[in-house]
Amino acid sequence: EEDNPSLTKRQRELQAKLEELTLNSEAIWERERSRGEIVAPWIIKIPYFVLCYFLDVVFEGKNAFSRFFLLETVARMPYFSYITMLHLYETLGFWRRSSDVKRIHFAEEWNEFHHLLIMESLGGDQPYWVRFLSQHSALAYYIGLCILWMLSPSLSYKFSEMLETHAVDTYGQFIDENEAKLKELPPSLAAIEYYTVGVSDPMFGEYQTASVSDPERGIRKS
């Protein structure tokens, strides 16, 4: 918090610089429109647009890392719900060939967990209302995805894919919008630990499309 007396002068300076970072919601939609029309049934398309515009309204003009904290809190839920439903289907005897898929989903959730730690280290979780909204949104999202999975696993995957794509556009816009300022800031300790030391974690390689043995990979990411 800004009035935290335990912060050092350097920490206050970094905090002030983080507050200067901006995020233009309309520019995010421009990126999304440039991808072309979203191909999906309206049963998931309507909730998708409602949720995304809700984020724009709630977080416009506020600390970008608070928005990212919510995104990363919610981003863990698809993998949690997938593992839940796969486990349930295995228990009921519907199928028992999903062990590899569950392993990948756990690794993906592990990845999102570390993204969440990074956003916490950047102060995204400081306002109480952000934590409250994030936690309750995540719970609602989890329940919704489980129900959607029971109706159609493919729709459940598609919906989370759409939100992940929106998150990619959001982060991409944030980086382009603040490139010069970001280059002047040091990476957070949580990011350094995960993208350098963390690459030796077996879970890190489960969902990668590039070799984790690349010595420059962690440096580029951080």
Side-chain angles (χ1 to χ4, degrees):
E1 297 285 359
E2 291 184 1
D3 58 352
N4 188 340
S6 65
L7 294 179
T8 66
K9 181 181 178 181
R10 176 57 176 164
Q11 287 173 326
R12 292 182 184 279
E13 290 174 352
L14 291 174
Q15 188 178 59
K17 289 182 178 180
L18 290 176
E19 291 289 343
E20 294 175 359
L21 303 177
T22 60
L23 181 60
N24 187 314
S25 296
E26 181 55 36
I28 297 173
W29 286 108
E30 286 294 331
R31 283 174 174 265
E32 184 153 317
R33 284 190 284 268
S34 69
R35 293 177 180 268
E37 182 182 357
I38 297 175
V39 180
W42 282 105
I43 191 174
I44 60 175
K45 209 170 183 179
I46 292 175
Y48 167 75
F49 283 121
V50 170
L51 287 171
C52 291
Y53 279 113
F54 174 76
L55 289 176
D56 293 345
V57 172
V58 172
F59 290 101
E60 185 65 33
K62 294 183 172 62
N63 188 321
F65 295 105
S66 291
R67 180 171 181 156
F68 297 155
F69 174 79
L70 184 145
L71 287 175
E72 297 302 341
T73 301
V74 170
R76 301 176 65 191
M77 294 303 104
Y79 312 116
F80 181 27
S81 70
Y82 299 158
I83 293 172
T84 298
M85 298 310 297
L86 288 169
H87 196 294
L88 175 63
Y89 277 30
E90 288 176 0
T91 302
L92 296 176
F94 291 173
W95 68 60
R96 294 187 177 179
R97 295 180 293 177
S98 53
S99 57
D100 289 341
V101 178
K102 285 191 300 181
R103 181 182 178 89
I104 293 172
H105 286 329
F106 178 79
E108 289 170 326
E109 190 281 328
W110 185 248
N111 179 56
E112 299 294 355
F113 168 65
H114 284 84
H115 291 174
L116 182 62
L117 293 180
I118 292 170
M119 295 312 155
E120 288 179 350
S121 71
L122 294 170
D125 66 329
Q126 290 303 297
Y128 170 77
W129 69 269
V130 172
R131 297 195 301 275
F132 182 89
L133 180 61
S134 300
Q135 292 161 359
H136 287 77
S137 297
L139 180 60
Y141 189 35
Y142 168 74
I143 295 172
L145 283 175
C146 287
I147 295 173
L148 189 57
W149 173 285
M150 286 187 277
L151 297 175
S152 170
S154 62
L155 285 181
S156 182
Y157 277 107
K158 180 62 178 178
F159 188 71
S160 62
E161 177 191 339
M162 291 161 60
L163 285 181
E164 281 292 324
T165 302
H166 186 77
V168 169
D169 289 332
T170 300
Y171 284 123
Q173 176 58 33
F174 177 75
I175 292 173
D176 290 347
E177 199 170 315
N178 302 279
E179 184 175 5
K181 292 179 180 178
L182 288 171
K183 287 181 178 179
E184 297 176 355
L185 293 169
S188 73
L189 182 59
I192 293 173
E193 289 178 345
Y194 183 52
Y195 287 113
T196 54
V197 179
V199 297
S200 61
D201 189 327
M203 288 288 102
F204 192 87
E206 287 293 326
Y207 57 90
Q208 300 297 324
T209 56
S211 173
V212 295
S213 62
D214 179 358
E216 296 296 319
R217 190 181 192 287
I219 297 174
R220 286 196 298 271
K221 288 289 287 185
S222 60

CSV table of all heavy atoms in Angstrom, one decimal, residues 146-203:
chain,number,residue,atom,x,y,z
A,146,CYS,N,-17.4,-26.3,-15.1
A,146,CYS,CA,-17.8,-27.7,-14.8
A,146,CYS,C,-19.1,-28.1,-15.4
A,146,CYS,O,-19.3,-29.2,-16.0
A,146,CYS,CB,-17.8,-28.0,-13.3
A,146,CYS,SG,-16.2,-28.0,-12.5
A,147,ILE,N,-20.1,-27.1,-15.3
A,147,ILE,CA,-21.4,-27.4,-15.9
A,147,ILE,C,-21.3,-27.4,-17.4
A,147,ILE,O,-21.9,-28.3,-18.0
A,147,ILE,CB,-22.4,-26.3,-15.4
A,147,ILE,CG1,-22.6,-26.3,-13.9
A,147,ILE,CG2,-23.7,-26.4,-16.2
A,147,ILE,CD1,-23.4,-25.2,-13.3
A,148,LEU,N,-20.6,-26.5,-18.0
A,148,LEU,CA,-20.4,-26.5,-19.4
A,148,LEU,C,-19.7,-27.7,-19.9
A,148,LEU,O,-20.1,-28.2,-21.0
A,148,LEU,CB,-19.6,-25.2,-19.8
A,148,LEU,CG,-19.5,-24.9,-21.3
A,148,LEU,CD1,-20.9,-24.7,-21.9
A,148,LEU,CD2,-18.6,-23.6,-21.5
A,149,TRP,N,-18.8,-28.2,-19.2
A,149,TRP,CA,-18.1,-29.5,-19.5
A,149,TRP,C,-19.1,-30.6,-19.6
A,149,TRP,O,-19.0,-31.5,-20.5
A,149,TRP,CB,-17.0,-29.8,-18.5
A,149,TRP,CG,-16.3,-31.2,-18.7
A,149,TRP,CD1,-16.9,-32.4,-18.4
A,149,TRP,CD2,-15.1,-31.4,-19.3
A,149,TRP,NE1,-16.0,-33.4,-18.8
A,149,TRP,CE2,-14.9,-32.8,-19.3
A,149,TRP,CE3,-14.0,-30.6,-19.8
A,149,TRP,CZ2,-13.7,-33.4,-19.8
A,149,TRP,CZ3,-12.9,-31.2,-20.3
A,149,TRP,CH2,-12.7,-32.6,-20.3
A,150,MET,N,-20.0,-30.7,-18.6
A,150,MET,CA,-21.0,-31.8,-18.6
A,150,MET,C,-21.9,-31.7,-19.9
A,150,MET,O,-22.4,-32.7,-20.4
A,150,MET,CB,-21.8,-31.7,-17.3
A,150,MET,CG,-21.1,-32.2,-16.1
A,150,MET,SD,-22.1,-32.4,-14.6
A,150,MET,CE,-22.0,-30.7,-14.0
A,151,LEU,N,-22.1,-30.5,-20.3
A,151,LEU,CA,-22.9,-30.3,-21.5
A,151,LEU,C,-22.1,-30.6,-22.8
A,151,LEU,O,-22.6,-31.2,-23.7
A,151,LEU,CB,-23.5,-28.8,-21.6
A,151,LEU,CG,-24.4,-28.4,-20.5
A,151,LEU,CD1,-24.8,-27.0,-20.6
A,151,LEU,CD2,-25.7,-29.3,-20.5
A,152,SER,N,-20.9,-30.1,-22.8
A,152,SER,CA,-20.0,-30.3,-24.0
A,152,SER,C,-18.6,-29.9,-23.6
A,152,SER,O,-18.3,-28.7,-23.4
A,152,SER,CB,-20.5,-29.4,-25.1
A,152,SER,OG,-19.5,-29.4,-26.2
A,153,PRO,N,-17.7,-30.9,-23.5
A,153,PRO,CA,-16.3,-30.6,-23.2
A,153,PRO,C,-15.6,-29.7,-24.2
A,153,PRO,O,-14.8,-28.8,-23.8
A,153,PRO,CB,-15.6,-32.0,-23.2
A,153,PRO,CG,-16.7,-32.9,-22.9
A,153,PRO,CD,-18.0,-32.4,-23.5
A,154,SER,N,-16.0,-29.8,-25.4
A,154,SER,CA,-15.4,-28.9,-26.5
A,154,SER,C,-15.8,-27.5,-26.3
A,154,SER,O,-15.0,-26.6,-26.5
A,154,SER,CB,-15.8,-29.4,-27.9
A,154,SER,OG,-17.2,-29.3,-28.0
A,155,LEU,N,-17.0,-27.2,-25.8
A,155,LEU,CA,-17.5,-25.8,-25.6
A,155,LEU,C,-16.7,-25.3,-24.4
A,155,LEU,O,-16.4,-24.1,-24.3
A,155,LEU,CB,-19.0,-25.8,-25.3
A,155,LEU,CG,-19.9,-25.9,-26.5
A,155,LEU,CD1,-21.3,-25.8,-26.1
A,155,LEU,CD2,-19.5,-24.8,-27.6
A,156,SER,N,-16.5,-26.1,-23.4
A,156,SER,CA,-15.7,-25.7,-22.2
A,156,SER,C,-14.3,-25.3,-22.6
A,156,SER,O,-13.8,-24.2,-22.1
A,156,SER,CB,-15.7,-26.8,-21.2
A,156,SER,OG,-15.0,-26.4,-20.0
A,157,TYR,N,-13.7,-26.1,-23.4
A,157,TYR,CA,-12.3,-25.8,-23.8
A,157,TYR,C,-12.3,-24.5,-24.7
A,157,TYR,O,-11.5,-23.7,-24.6
A,157,TYR,CB,-11.7,-26.9,-24.6
A,157,TYR,CG,-11.1,-28.0,-23.8
A,157,TYR,CD1,-11.7,-29.2,-23.6
A,157,TYR,CD2,-9.9,-27.8,-23.1
A,157,TYR,CE1,-11.2,-30.3,-22.9
A,157,TYR,CE2,-9.3,-28.8,-22.4
A,157,TYR,CZ,-10.0,-30.0,-22.2
A,157,TYR,OH,-9.4,-31.0,-21.5
A,158,LYS,N,-13.3,-24.4,-25.6
A,158,LYS,CA,-13.4,-23.2,-26.5
A,158,LYS,C,-13.6,-21.9,-25.7
A,158,LYS,O,-13.0,-20.9,-26.0
A,158,LYS,CB,-14.6,-23.4,-27.4
A,158,LYS,CG,-14.7,-22.3,-28.4
A,158,LYS,CD,-13.5,-22.1,-29.3
A,158,LYS,CE,-13.7,-21.0,-30.4
A,158,LYS,NZ,-12.5,-20.8,-31.2
A,159,PHE,N,-14.4,-21.9,-24.7
A,159,PHE,CA,-14.7,-20.7,-23.9
A,159,PHE,C,-13.4,-20.3,-23.2
A,159,PHE,O,-13.1,-19.1,-23.2
A,159,PHE,CB,-15.8,-21.0,-22.9
A,159,PHE,CG,-16.2,-19.7,-22.2
A,159,PHE,CD1,-16.9,-18.8,-22.8
A,159,PHE,CD2,-15.9,-19.5,-20.8
A,159,PHE,CE1,-17.4,-17.6,-22.2
A,159,PHE,CE2,-16.3,-18.4,-20.2
A,159,PHE,CZ,-17.0,-17.4,-20.9
A,160,SER,N,-12.7,-21.2,-22.6
A,160,SER,CA,-11.4,-20.8,-21.9
A,160,SER,C,-10.4,-20.4,-22.9
A,160,SER,O,-9.6,-19.5,-22.7
A,160,SER,CB,-10.9,-22.0,-21.1
A,160,SER,OG,-10.6,-23.1,-21.8
A,161,GLU,N,-10.4,-21.0,-24.1
A,161,GLU,CA,-9.5,-20.6,-25.2
A,161,GLU,C,-9.7,-19.1,-25.6
A,161,GLU,O,-8.8,-18.3,-25.8
A,161,GLU,CB,-9.6,-21.5,-26.4
A,161,GLU,CG,-8.7,-21.1,-27.6
A,161,GLU,CD,-9.1,-21.8,-28.8
A,161,GLU,OE1,-9.7,-22.9,-28.8
A,161,GLU,OE2,-8.7,-21.3,-29.9
A,162,MET,N,-11.0,-18.7,-25.7
A,162,MET,CA,-11.4,-17.4,-26.0
A,162,MET,C,-10.9,-16.4,-25.0
A,162,MET,O,-10.3,-15.3,-25.3
A,162,MET,CB,-12.9,-17.3,-26.2
A,162,MET,CG,-13.4,-18.0,-27.4
A,162,MET,SD,-15.2,-18.4,-27.4
A,162,MET,CE,-15.9,-16.7,-27.2
A,163,LEU,N,-11.0,-16.7,-23.7
A,163,LEU,CA,-10.6,-15.8,-22.7
A,163,LEU,C,-9.1,-15.7,-22.6
A,163,LEU,O,-8.5,-14.7,-22.4
A,163,LEU,CB,-11.1,-16.3,-21.3
A,163,LEU,CG,-12.6,-16.0,-21.0
A,163,LEU,CD1,-13.0,-16.5,-19.7
A,163,LEU,CD2,-12.9,-14.5,-21.2
A,164,GLU,N,-8.4,-16.9,-22.9
A,164,GLU,CA,-6.9,-16.8,-22.9
A,164,GLU,C,-6.4,-16.0,-24.1
A,164,GLU,O,-5.4,-15.2,-23.9
A,164,GLU,CB,-6.4,-18.3,-23.1
A,164,GLU,CG,-6.4,-19.1,-21.8
A,164,GLU,CD,-5.4,-18.6,-20.8
A,164,GLU,OE1,-4.3,-18.1,-21.2
A,164,GLU,OE2,-5.7,-18.6,-19.6
A,165,THR,N,-7.1,-16.0,-25.2
A,165,THR,CA,-6.7,-15.2,-26.3
A,165,THR,C,-6.9,-13.7,-26.0
A,165,THR,O,-6.1,-12.9,-26.4
A,165,THR,CB,-7.6,-15.6,-27.6
A,165,THR,OG1,-7.4,-16.9,-27.9
A,165,THR,CG2,-7.2,-14.7,-28.8
A,166,HIS,N,-8.0,-13.4,-25.3
A,166,HIS,CA,-8.2,-12.0,-24.9
A,166,HIS,C,-7.1,-11.6,-23.9
A,166,HIS,O,-6.7,-10.4,-24.0
A,166,HIS,CB,-9.6,-11.9,-24.2
A,166,HIS,CG,-10.0,-10.5,-23.9
A,166,HIS,ND1,-10.4,-9.6,-24.9
A,166,HIS,CD2,-10.0,-9.8,-22.7
A,166,HIS,CE1,-10.7,-8.4,-24.3
A,166,HIS,NE2,-10.4,-8.5,-23.0
A,167,ALA,N,-6.7,-12.5,-23.1
A,167,ALA,CA,-5.6,-12.1,-22.1
A,167,ALA,C,-4.3,-11.9,-22.9
A,167,ALA,O,-3.6,-11.0,-22.5
A,167,ALA,CB,-5.4,-13.3,-21.1
A,168,VAL,N,-4.1,-12.7,-23.9
A,168,VAL,CA,-2.9,-12.5,-24.7
A,168,VAL,C,-2.9,-11.1,-25.4
A,168,VAL,O,-1.9,-10.3,-25.4
A,168,VAL,CB,-2.8,-13.5,-25.8
A,168,VAL,CG1,-1.7,-13.2,-26.9
A,168,VAL,CG2,-2.4,-14.9,-25.2
A,169,ASP,N,-4.1,-10.7,-25.9
A,169,ASP,CA,-4.2,-9.3,-26.5
A,169,ASP,C,-4.0,-8.3,-25.4
A,169,ASP,O,-3.4,-7.2,-25.7
A,169,ASP,CB,-5.6,-9.2,-27.2
A,169,ASP,CG,-5.7,-10.0,-28.4
A,169,ASP,OD1,-4.6,-10.3,-29.1
A,169,ASP,OD2,-6.8,-10.4,-28.8
A,170,THR,N,-4.5,-8.5,-24.2
A,170,THR,CA,-4.4,-7.6,-23.1
A,170,THR,C,-2.9,-7.3,-22.8
A,170,THR,O,-2.5,-6.2,-22.7
A,170,THR,CB,-5.2,-8.0,-21.9
A,170,THR,OG1,-6.6,-8.2,-22.3
A,170,THR,CG2,-5.1,-7.0,-20.8
A,171,TYR,N,-2.2,-8.4,-22.6
A,171,TYR,CA,-0.8,-8.3,-22.2
A,171,TYR,C,0.0,-7.7,-23.4
A,171,TYR,O,1.0,-6.9,-23.1
A,171,TYR,CB,-0.2,-9.7,-21.8
A,171,TYR,CG,-0.6,-10.2,-20.5
A,171,TYR,CD1,-1.3,-11.4,-20.3
A,171,TYR,CD2,-0.3,-9.4,-19.3
A,171,TYR,CE1,-1.7,-11.8,-19.0
A,171,TYR,CE2,-0.7,-9.8,-18.1
A,171,TYR,CZ,-1.4,-11.1,-17.9
A,171,TYR,OH,-1.7,-11.5,-16.7
A,172,GLY,N,-0.3,-8.1,-24.6
A,172,GLY,CA,0.4,-7.6,-25.7
A,172,GLY,C,0.2,-6.1,-25.8
A,172,GLY,O,1.2,-5.3,-26.1
A,173,GLN,N,-1.0,-5.6,-25.6
A,173,GLN,CA,-1.2,-4.1,-25.7
A,173,GLN,C,-0.5,-3.4,-24.5
A,173,GLN,O,0.1,-2.4,-24.7
A,173,GLN,CB,-2.7,-3.9,-25.6
A,173,GLN,CG,-3.1,-2.4,-25.5
A,173,GLN,CD,-2.6,-1.6,-26.7
A,173,GLN,OE1,-2.5,-2.2,-27.8
A,173,GLN,NE2,-2.3,-0.4,-26.5
A,174,PHE,N,-0.5,-4.0,-23.4
A,174,PHE,CA,0.2,-3.5,-22.2
A,174,PHE,C,1.7,-3.3,-22.5
A,174,PHE,O,2.3,-2.3,-22.2
A,174,PHE,CB,0.0,-4.3,-21.0
A,174,PHE,CG,0.7,-3.9,-19.7
A,174,PHE,CD1,0.2,-2.7,-19.0
A,174,PHE,CD2,1.8,-4.5,-19.3
A,174,PHE,CE1,0.9,-2.3,-17.9
A,174,PHE,CE2,2.5,-4.1,-18.2
A,174,PHE,CZ,2.0,-3.0,-17.5
A,175,ILE,N,2.3,-4.3,-23.1
A,175,ILE,CA,3.7,-4.3,-23.4
A,175,ILE,C,4.0,-3.2,-24.4
A,175,ILE,O,4.9,-2.4,-24.2
A,175,ILE,CB,4.2,-5.7,-23.8
A,175,ILE,CG1,4.2,-6.7,-22.7
A,175,ILE,CG2,5.7,-5.6,-24.4
A,175,ILE,CD1,4.5,-8.1,-23.1
A,176,ASP,N,3.3,-3.2,-25.5
A,176,ASP,CA,3.5,-2.2,-26.5
A,176,ASP,C,3.3,-0.8,-26.1
A,176,ASP,O,4.0,0.1,-26.4
A,176,ASP,CB,2.6,-2.5,-27.8
A,176,ASP,CG,3.0,-3.8,-28.5
A,176,ASP,OD1,4.1,-4.3,-28.2
A,176,ASP,OD2,2.2,-4.2,-29.3
A,177,GLU,N,2.3,-0.6,-25.2
A,177,GLU,CA,1.9,0.7,-24.7
A,177,GLU,C,2.9,1.3,-23.7
A,177,GLU,O,3.0,2.5,-23.6
A,177,GLU,CB,0.5,0.6,-24.0
A,177,GLU,CG,-0.3,1.9,-23.9
A,177,GLU,CD,-1.7,1.7,-23.4
A,177,GLU,OE1,-2.4,0.8,-24.0
A,177,GLU,OE2,-2.1,2.3,-22.5
A,178,ASN,N,3.6,0.4,-23.0
A,178,ASN,CA,4.5,0.8,-22.0
A,178,ASN,C,5.9,0.3,-22.2
A,178,ASN,O,6.7,0.2,-21.2
A,178,ASN,CB,4.0,0.3,-20.6
A,178,ASN,CG,2.6,0.8,-20.3
A,178,ASN,OD1,2.4,1.9,-19.8
A,178,ASN,ND2,1.6,-0.1,-20.5
A,179,GLU,N,6.3,0.0,-23.4
A,179,GLU,CA,7.6,-0.6,-23.7
A,179,GLU,C,8.8,0.1,-23.1
A,179,GLU,O,9.6,-0.5,-22.5
A,179,GLU,CB,7.8,-0.8,-25.2
A,179,GLU,CG,9.0,-1.6,-25.6
A,179,GLU,CD,9.1,-1.8,-27.1
A,179,GLU,OE1,8.3,-1.4,-27.8
A,179,GLU,OE2,10.1,-2.5,-27.5
A,180,ALA,N,8.8,1.4,-23.4
A,180,ALA,CA,10.0,2.2,-22.9
A,180,ALA,C,10.0,2.2,-21.4
A,180,ALA,O,11.1,2.1,-20.8
A,180,ALA,CB,9.9,3.6,-23.4
A,181,LYS,N,8.9,2.4,-20.7
A,181,LYS,CA,8.9,2.4,-19.3
A,181,LYS,C,9.2,1.1,-18.7
A,181,LYS,O,9.9,1.0,-17.6
A,181,LYS,CB,7.5,2.9,-18.8
A,181,LYS,CG,7.2,4.3,-19.1
A,181,LYS,CD,5.8,4.7,-18.6
A,181,LYS,CE,5.5,6.2,-19.0
A,181,LYS,NZ,4.1,6.6,-18.5
A,182,LEU,N,8.8,0.0,-19.3
A,182,LEU,CA,9.0,-1.3,-18.8
A,182,LEU,C,10.5,-1.7,-18.8
A,182,LEU,O,11.0,-2.4,-17.9
A,182,LEU,CB,8.2,-2.4,-19.5
A,182,LEU,CG,6.7,-2.4,-19.3
A,182,LEU,CD1,6.0,-3.3,-20.2
A,182,LEU,CD2,6.4,-2.8,-17.8
A,183,LYS,N,11.2,-1.2,-19.8
A,183,LYS,CA,12.6,-1.5,-20.0
A,183,LYS,C,13.4,-0.8,-18.9
A,183,LYS,O,14.5,-1.2,-18.6
A,183,LYS,CB,13.1,-1.0,-21.4
A,183,LYS,CG,12.6,-1.9,-22.5
A,183,LYS,CD,13.1,-1.4,-23.8
A,183,LYS,CE,12.7,-2.3,-25.0
A,183,LYS,NZ,13.2,-1.8,-26.3
A,184,GLU,N,12.9,0.2,-18.3
A,184,GLU,CA,13.6,0.9,-17.2
A,184,GLU,C,13.3,0.2,-15.8
A,184,GLU,O,14.0,0.6,-14.8
A,184,GLU,CB,13.1,2.4,-17.1
A,184,GLU,CG,13.4,3.2,-18.4
A,184,GLU,CD,12.9,4.6,-18.3
A,184,GLU,OE1,12.1,4.9,-17.3
A,184,GLU,OE2,13.1,5.4,-19.2
A,185,LEU,N,12.4,-0.7,-15.8
A,185,LEU,CA,12.0,-1.3,-14.5
A,185,LEU,C,12.7,-2.7,-14.4
A,185,LEU,O,12.8,-3.4,-15.4
A,185,LEU,CB,10.5,-1.5,-14.4
A,185,LEU,CG,9.7,-0.2,-14.3
A,185,LEU,CD1,8.2,-0.5,-14.4
A,185,LEU,CD2,10.0,0.5,-12.9
A,186,PRO,N,13.1,-3.1,-13.2
A,186,PRO,CA,13.7,-4.4,-13.0
A,186,PRO,C,12.5,-5.5,-13.0
A,186,PRO,O,11.4,-5.2,-12.5
A,186,PRO,CB,14.4,-4.3,-11.6
A,186,PRO,CG,13.5,-3.3,-10.9
A,186,PRO,CD,13.1,-2.3,-11.9
A,187,PRO,N,12.8,-6.7,-13.4
A,187,PRO,CA,11.8,-7.7,-13.3
A,187,PRO,C,11.5,-8.1,-11.9
A,187,PRO,O,12.5,-7.9,-11.0
A,187,PRO,CB,12.3,-8.9,-14.1
A,187,PRO,CG,13.8,-8.7,-14.1
A,187,PRO,CD,14.0,-7.2,-14.1
A,188,SER,N,10.4,-8.6,-11.5
A,188,SER,CA,10.1,-8.9,-10.2
A,188,SER,C,10.9,-10.2,-9.8
A,188,SER,O,11.2,-11.0,-10.7
A,188,SER,CB,8.6,-9.2,-10.0
A,188,SER,OG,8.2,-10.4,-10.6
A,189,LEU,N,11.1,-10.4,-8.5
A,189,LEU,CA,11.9,-11.5,-8.0
A,189,LEU,C,11.1,-12.8,-8.4
A,189,LEU,O,11.7,-13.8,-8.7
A,189,LEU,CB,12.1,-11.4,-6.5
A,189,LEU,CG,12.9,-12.6,-5.9
A,189,LEU,CD1,14.3,-12.7,-6.5
A,189,LEU,CD2,13.0,-12.4,-4.4
A,190,ALA,N,9.8,-12.8,-8.3
A,190,ALA,CA,9.0,-13.9,-8.6
A,190,ALA,C,9.1,-14.4,-10.1
A,190,ALA,O,9.2,-15.6,-10.4
A,190,ALA,CB,7.5,-13.7,-8.3
A,191,ALA,N,9.3,-13.4,-11.0
A,191,ALA,CA,9.4,-13.7,-12.4
A,191,ALA,C,10.8,-14.3,-12.6
A,191,ALA,O,11.0,-15.2,-13.4
A,191,ALA,CB,9.3,-12.4,-13.2
A,192,ILE,N,11.8,-13.7,-12.0
A,192,ILE,CA,13.2,-14.2,-12.1
A,192,ILE,C,13.3,-15.6,-11.7
A,192,ILE,O,13.9,-16.5,-12.3
A,192,ILE,CB,14.2,-13.3,-11.4
A,192,ILE,CG1,14.3,-11.9,-12.0
A,192,ILE,CG2,15.6,-13.9,-11.4
A,192,ILE,CD1,15.1,-10.9,-11.2
A,193,GLU,N,12.7,-15.9,-10.5
A,193,GLU,CA,12.8,-17.3,-9.9
A,193,GLU,C,12.1,-18.3,-10.8
A,193,GLU,O,12.6,-19.4,-11.0
A,193,GLU,CB,12.2,-17.3,-8.6
A,193,GLU,CG,13.0,-16.5,-7.5
A,193,GLU,CD,12.4,-16.5,-6.1
A,193,GLU,OE1,11.2,-16.8,-6.1
A,193,GLU,OE2,13.0,-16.2,-5.2
A,194,TYR,N,11.0,-17.9,-11.4
A,194,TYR,CA,10.2,-18.9,-12.2
A,194,TYR,C,10.9,-19.1,-13.6
A,194,TYR,O,11.0,-20.2,-14.0
A,194,TYR,CB,8.8,-18.4,-12.4
A,194,TYR,CG,7.9,-19.4,-13.1
A,194,TYR,CD1,7.9,-20.7,-12.7
A,194,TYR,CD2,7.1,-19.0,-14.2
A,194,TYR,CE1,7.1,-21.7,-13.4
A,194,TYR,CE2,6.4,-19.9,-14.9
A,194,TYR,CZ,6.3,-21.2,-14.5
A,194,TYR,OH,5.5,-22.1,-15.2
A,195,TYR,N,11.2,-18.0,-14.2
A,195,TYR,CA,11.7,-18.1,-15.6
A,195,TYR,C,13.2,-18.4,-15.8
A,195,TYR,O,13.7,-18.5,-16.9
A,195,TYR,CB,11.3,-16.9,-16.4
A,195,TYR,CG,9.8,-16.8,-16.7
A,195,TYR,CD1,9.0,-15.8,-16.1
A,195,TYR,CD2,9.3,-17.7,-17.6
A,195,TYR,CE1,7.7,-15.8,-16.4
A,195,TYR,CE2,7.9,-17.7,-17.8
A,195,TYR,CZ,7.1,-16.7,-17.3
A,195,TYR,OH,5.8,-16.7,-17.5
A,196,THR,N,13.9,-18.5,-14.6
A,196,THR,CA,15.3,-18.9,-14.7
A,196,THR,C,15.5,-20.2,-13.9
A,196,THR,O,15.6,-21.3,-14.5
A,196,THR,CB,16.2,-17.8,-14.2
A,196,THR,OG1,15.8,-17.5,-12.8
A,196,THR,CG2,16.2,-16.6,-15.1
A,197,VAL,N,15.4,-20.1,-12.6
A,197,VAL,CA,15.5,-21.3,-11.8
A,197,VAL,C,14.3,-22.3,-12.1
A,197,VAL,O,14.5,-23.5,-12.1
A,197,VAL,CB,15.5,-21.0,-10.3
A,197,VAL,CG1,15.6,-22.2,-9.4
A,197,VAL,CG2,16.6,-20.0,-10.0
A,198,GLY,N,13.1,-21.8,-12.3
A,198,GLY,CA,12.0,-22.6,-12.5
A,198,GLY,C,12.0,-23.5,-13.7
A,198,GLY,O,11.2,-24.5,-13.8
A,199,VAL,N,12.8,-23.2,-14.7
A,199,VAL,CA,12.9,-24.0,-15.9
A,199,VAL,C,13.4,-25.4,-15.7
A,199,VAL,O,13.2,-26.3,-16.5
A,199,VAL,CB,13.7,-23.3,-17.0
A,199,VAL,CG1,13.1,-22.0,-17.5
A,199,VAL,CG2,15.2,-23.1,-16.6
A,200,SER,N,14.0,-25.6,-14.5
A,200,SER,CA,14.5,-27.0,-14.2
A,200,SER,C,13.3,-27.8,-13.6
A,200,SER,O,13.5,-29.0,-13.4
A,200,SER,CB,15.6,-26.9,-13.2
A,200,SER,OG,15.2,-26.3,-12.0
A,201,ASP,N,12.2,-27.2,-13.3
A,201,ASP,CA,11.1,-27.9,-12.7
A,201,ASP,C,10.5,-28.8,-13.8
A,201,ASP,O,10.2,-28.3,-14.9
A,201,ASP,CB,10.0,-26.9,-12.3
A,201,ASP,CG,8.9,-27.5,-11.5
A,201,ASP,OD1,8.5,-28.7,-11.8
A,201,ASP,OD2,8.3,-26.9,-10.6
A,202,PRO,N,10.3,-30.1,-13.6
A,202,PRO,CA,9.7,-31.0,-14.6
A,202,PRO,C,8.4,-30.5,-15.2
A,202,PRO,O,8.0,-30.7,-16.3
A,202,PRO,CB,9.6,-32.3,-13.9
A,202,PRO,CG,10.6,-32.3,-12.8
A,202,PRO,CD,10.6,-30.8,-12.4
A,203,MET,N,7.6,-29.8,-14.3
A,203,MET,CA,6.3,-29.3,-14.7
A,203,MET,C,6.4,-28.2,-15.8
A,203,MET,O,5.5,-28.1,-16.6
A,203,MET,CB,5.5,-28.8,-13.5
A,203,MET,CG,5.0,-29.8,-12.6
A,203,MET,SD,3.6,-30.8,-13.2
A,203,MET,CE,4.5,-32.3,-13.6
